Amino acid sequence: MTDTFTQTIDEQLIPMAIEKFVEGVASPCDIFLNDNGKTVALFNRGMIFDASTMSVLRKQGVTEVLIKKDEEHKVAAQRIQQEFAEEAAPVMPETPVPPAMDFKEYSVKKEQHFQIDGKLLVPGTDVHFNIYTFNQAALRMVVEASEQSPARIPESIRNTTEELVINNADIPSYQAYLNGLLASSSIPTAEISWIKSTVIKENSKLIVKDLLDNPRSGEKIKESIVMVNKMVDGILENRDAVYELLSIRSHDYYTYTHSVNVAALSVGLGIASGLNRSSLEKLGIGTMLHDLGKSAIPHEILNKPEKLTDDEFRIMKSHVLESEKILRKQKEIPEESYAAVLQHHERLSGKGYPFGLAGTEVKLFGRISAIADCYDAITTKRVYKPAFAPFQALSIMVNETGNYDPDLMAVFIKMLGKIT
């Protein structure tokens, strides 16, 4: 963010007491925070401003935030609407609210499509595959194309805020499109770095998706190791590449996207912590493949839109040991990588799983992967909850006393300074 841009943003902002916002409902506007003279994004419009966030802000001495001048009326209108609703609400027995969508339909459609990064869709470029927006269970075609009838990407796609997906059957055509971007001689020099990083991310997602469908594929394991090395080299050459490797948080959770995000965050944290090149590779392999055991978890549990039952949670937790079981059959996996695979749900307090390790029993790779895994999980939207903003997620993690390595958390927060 340039100084000129920051100054322009600051001039458009006004202070607003946090008590003016209605707890438990979607924020009507973007919310910013003055952090030691630096303006940082706290909330995006539509995210839930809940009681826990209020509590965290008050503990840190924050009594007011910043909003855009022209959106002050939205906050006031929401407060008036809430007060009116509370006063006017008739006293009557509660009735169940019908679900907003057919969850089974959502789950099926989600598994039939692949989540893509819209930043790589260059308007005016020909594609040979259909592109859809995916909002819960609703699919809407935005580009209709095929191998026989290519179509140009419209300029309007840049304004799309919804999630973009393609049919699984069109993945080979999408890969050809990605390779064409890398080979293009018309890409401005200033854009080569982020396009290269984003293509690495997309190809990594494709490999992990293939592995989740066929977890015992030795060939895909080898390909994933190649992509980890490209990721490590990319971040070593350009520290900002870690931000380009992360997927947009406002979109739905997919295991393959989460796996790549956790690998990027872990490698970035490893670099910031001073790990050598060999250790970074081993850390990246473990974190890229840490959730491979979820291939054995039923989709209705993975995608369930409400709290899991005790039995379902027990099944979910089994993915950790299942990941190890799958990877032990692959001789290419370094022994050191298993700490990230086995310990990404362990907590220094001893409250994690599967072994309930505590303190020094949790290895360095386990501590790093635990931070990266939790951060990405809570900053990614789920069908049953909005994504937490980066600042809010970090505040929650810092306040989970004893769960995460405080020294690594301090490095992690500093590393993420550009996006928090």
Side-chain angles (χ1 to χ4, degrees):
M1 183 181 294
T2 65
D3 291 338
T4 302
F5 181 74
T6 302
Q7 183 179 1
T8 302
I9 288 291
D10 289 347
E11 290 174 351
Q12 297 174 351
L13 302 179
I14 60 172
M16 174 70 68
I18 59 175
E19 283 76 13
K20 296 289 187 180
F21 295 89
V22 180
E23 292 183 18
V25 300
S27 170
C29 60
D30 295 329
I31 303 175
F32 303 86
L33 187 68
N34 187 330
D35 184 13
N36 294 322
K38 178 183 177 183
T39 301
V40 296
L42 175 63
F43 266 93
N44 292 329
R45 181 174 60 85
M47 290 185 172
I48 305 298
F49 204 126
D50 59 13
S52 64
T53 303
M54 286 287 198
S55 176
V56 169
L57 291 174
R58 290 191 183 105
K59 285 180 181 179
Q60 296 183 353
V62 177
T63 58
E64 62 182 25
V65 292
L66 302 171
I67 65 170
K68 294 178 182 177
K69 292 179 181 178
D70 58 0
E71 293 189 322
E72 182 178 13
H73 70 283
K74 295 181 181 179
V75 179
Q78 186 181 65
R79 169 62 66 182
I80 293 171
Q81 183 179 22
Q82 180 72 9
E83 291 174 351
F84 176 80
E86 290 172 354
E87 292 175 1
V91 178
M92 60 178 62
E94 291 187 4
T95 55
V97 178
M101 65 173 185
D102 182 331
F103 178 69
K104 184 176 180 180
E105 179 188 359
Y106 161 81
S107 187
V108 169
K109 285 185 178 180
K110 185 174 181 180
E111 297 303 325
Q112 292 174 341
H113 294 84
F114 179 76
Q115 179 190 50
I116 65 173
D117 193 323
K119 297 195 303 292
L120 290 176
L121 298 178
V122 181
T125 305
D126 283 348
V127 292
H128 297 78
F129 49 88
N130 294 333
I131 304 173
Y132 307 86
T133 59
F134 185 46
N135 184 9
Q136 295 186 333
L139 279 170
R140 180 175 66 86
M141 184 179 291
V142 291
V143 175
E144 183 176 8
S146 66
E147 290 295 336
Q148 295 75 29
S149 302
R152 290 194 171 181
I153 299 173
E155 186 69 34
S156 60
I157 209 160
R158 289 188 179 274
N159 300 322
T160 301
T161 57
E162 293 179 291
E163 183 173 337
L164 294 170
V165 299
I166 61 174
N167 293 316
N168 286 340
D170 285 331
I171 285 176
S173 295
Y174 180 56
Q175 287 179 302
Y177 171 79
L178 295 177
N179 293 333
L181 280 180
L182 290 178
S184 175
S185 58
S186 61
I187 297 176
T189 304
E191 296 183 6
I192 291 176
S193 176
W194 76 262
I195 288 179
K196 180 180 177 182
S197 296
T198 310
V199 169
I200 288 173
K201 178 197 68 180
E202 292 297 278
N203 280 322
S204 297
K205 284 164 50 182
L206 289 165
I207 292 169
V208 175
K209 184 181 188 305
D210 284 343
L211 274 170
L212 289 167
D213 293 335
N214 184 16
R216 290 166 178 80
S217 171
E219 178 184 349
K220 291 299 177 182
I221 291 289
K222 292 177 182 177
E223 289 182 17
S224 70
I225 293 174
V226 170
M227 296 311 297
V228 165
N229 278 285
K230 289 183 178 181
M231 177 184 293
V232 171
D233 289 338
I235 300 176
L236 283 171
E237 291 172 8
N238 174 19
R239 297 295 182 89
D240 288 347
V242 70
Y243 311 114
E244 294 153 5
L245 284 161
L246 299 178
S247 293
I248 299 173
R249 294 299 193 279
S250 60
H251 293 168
D252 261 6
Y253 177 96
Y254 290 75
T255 301
Y256 49 83
T257 303
H258 169 70
S259 298
V260 176
N261 285 346
V262 171
L265 287 165
S266 296
V267 170
L269 180 52
I271 291 173
S273 301
L275 295 186
N276 61 37
R277 175 64 176 74
S278 176
S279 295
L280 292 171
E281 178 184 348
K282 294 168 184 174
L283 173 63
I285 292 170
T287 48
M288 182 82 80
L289 303 174
H290 77 286
D291 269 350
L292 199 54
K294 286 185 177 177
S295 58
I297 308 299
H299 293 313
E300 56 267 26
I301 293 179
L302 282 175
N303 298 325
K304 188 176 179 181
E306 63 238 2
K307 184 178 179 180
L308 299 178
T309 66
D310 290 343
D311 285 342
E312 289 169 338
F313 188 51
R314 176 181 51 78
I315 293 171
M316 176 66 84
K317 290 194 294 185
S318 72
H319 80 273
V320 176
L321 295 179
E322 186 65 25
S323 294
E324 183 199 24
K325 179 181 176 182
I326 293 169
L327 293 173
R328 287 290 181 191
K329 297 178 181 179
Q330 305 294 334
K331 63 182 180 180
E332 291 83 7
I333 307 300
E335 184 62 34
E336 295 89 338
S337 299
Y338 285 100
V341 176
L342 288 169
Q343 298 180 4
H344 64 277
H345 284 297
E346 299 287 359
R347 299 294 181 260
L348 300 188
S349 61
K351 296 179 181 179
Y353 66 86
F355 304 115
L357 303 179
T360 56
E361 292 177 313
V362 184
K363 297 180 180 179
L364 177 60
F365 283 9
R367 296 173 183 225
I368 290 175
S369 60
I371 290 172
D373 179 79
C374 179
Y375 175 82
D376 187 73
I378 63 179
T379 55
T380 303
K381 190 181 77 173
R382 305 292 181 106
V383 67
Y384 52 87
K385 76 168 186 65
F388 285 117
F391 173 85
Q392 184 184 22
L394 293 172
S395 297
I396 291 170
M397 293 174 69
V398 167
N399 279 275
E400 289 186 14
T401 306
N403 277 345
Y404 304 101
D405 186 308
D407 295 330
L408 285 174
M409 276 300 303
V411 176
F412 190 66
I413 291 170
K414 183 177 180 181
M415 182 188 82
L416 291 180
K418 291 190 176 183
I419 60 173
T420 58

